Amino acid sequence: MHSVSALGHDAEPNSRFPETRWSMVLYAGADGAMQALNELCQLYWRPLQAYCCGLGRSPADAEDLTQAFFAKLLGRGALRMADPQRGKFRTFLLTSFKNHLMDEHRRSQAQKRGSGSMTVSLDADEAEQLHPVVESSPERAFDRQWAEDVVSRATQALRQEYTAAGKGQWFEKVAGSQAASSYIEAAKELASTEEAVKSFALRVRKRFRAQLEREIADTVSTPEEVADEMTYLASLLRG
């Protein structure tokens, strides 16, 4: 059986677009939005490092440049760059990062970590596992790493949800790392019926799409942008 996939299903309409991390950054001001911005930056560490590596930088240089950028972005007054007209956080962040790299090049002096500036927390084990995707352009590498990370976060959230509900084994057999090759095989391994497994798989796909939309909604400003990002995410994963 295949891994979780729900990108082809129609989204359920939302009557009210909820407050998101990005909208908090845009409208709350520097003091009220700092935690939300910090959380967003943590989500985009790997995509920015992938972009930097796509420019030909070594992983170590990419890590330094990314850390320096986040320290700058999280510094006092940096949120003045955030403008509702900039749209998606992903677009805003990559544009800001490009400007940062140009500034660093002009100064010919990389800003080092540990300068006393505010930094983005990244777990040491996670840092060691960073292997940026290789693509035809730095922008494509950034987008692909973003897509993979969104899917990974959504999958992990579902895994935790179903495990807490006592359905962890079902999730793994239907959509996780131990996924069976067919509904019949999964039913045998779970001591259940093929119909029950199919029904469970359908619920997982719906929950997976909802979780993807939740992940994406935190980084955009409107419901329309969620739909656009979901379409683009699907194209990245196919490519």
Side-chain angles (χ1 to χ4, degrees), residues 13-234:
N14 286 325
S15 58
R16 176 179 179 273
F17 195 61
E19 182 178 53
T20 67
R21 290 192 183 110
W22 185 215
S23 63
M24 287 174 63
V25 170
L26 290 174
Y27 302 115
D31 293 337
M34 188 55 69
Q35 181 179 351
L37 180 62
N38 192 13
E39 291 170 352
L40 283 173
C41 288
Q42 290 185 46
L43 301 180
Y44 281 84
W45 179 284
R46 286 162 55 99
L48 286 184
Q49 189 171 4
Y51 173 83
C52 213
C53 288
L55 293 173
R57 299 277 191 165
S58 69
D61 285 346
E63 183 179 351
D64 282 342
L65 287 165
T66 304
Q67 178 66 70
F69 168 69
F70 282 133
K72 179 180 177 181
L73 188 66
L74 292 168
R76 185 177 298 276
L79 287 180
R80 286 196 297 268
M81 294 184 298
D83 185 329
Q85 299 303 316
R86 291 179 183 269
K88 298 183 287 288
F89 180 76
R90 181 165 56 87
T91 302
F92 161 75
L93 193 68
L94 184 56
T95 299
S96 299
F97 189 55
K98 289 178 178 179
N99 292 335
H100 168 73
L101 293 180
M102 287 190 290
D103 290 342
E104 290 293 304
H105 178 69
R106 281 193 293 264
R107 286 196 299 266
S108 299
Q109 180 179 2
Q111 181 179 345
K112 301 299 182 180
R113 292 171 295 175
S115 62
S117 300
M118 186 174 180
T119 60
V120 176
S121 174
L122 185 68
D123 185 84
D125 292 335
E126 182 181 353
E128 291 177 359
Q129 297 172 8
L130 293 177
H131 300 291
V133 293
V134 177
E135 287 292 339
S136 57
S137 71
E139 288 80 7
R140 182 77 175 178
F142 173 85
D143 287 349
R144 275 294 299 276
Q145 188 67 65
W146 164 77
E148 291 182 9
D149 286 357
V150 168
V151 170
S152 178
R153 290 195 302 271
T155 301
Q156 185 58 26
L158 280 192
R159 177 175 285 111
Q160 293 173 355
E161 177 182 312
Y162 280 107
T163 298
K167 287 289 187 178
Q169 184 181 13
W170 277 68
F171 178 84
E172 295 302 334
K173 292 299 180 183
V174 169
S177 57
Q178 304 170 18
S181 59
S182 67
Y183 291 124
I184 294 176
E185 180 184 336
K188 289 180 179 179
E189 295 179 2
L190 294 168
S192 185
T193 65
E194 181 180 0
E195 190 61 32
V197 172
K198 285 182 178 179
S199 178
F200 180 78
L202 178 60
R203 293 197 300 273
V204 170
R205 285 195 293 271
K206 289 181 178 180
R207 290 290 302 119
F208 179 64
R209 180 178 179 89
Q211 187 62 40
L212 282 178
E213 290 178 335
R214 187 174 296 112
E215 293 282 346
I216 288 174
D218 255 347
T219 68
V220 299
S221 303
T222 67
E224 292 75 21
E225 286 178 342
V226 174
D228 290 344
E229 289 285 82
M230 288 289 286
T231 299
Y232 186 50
L233 178 70

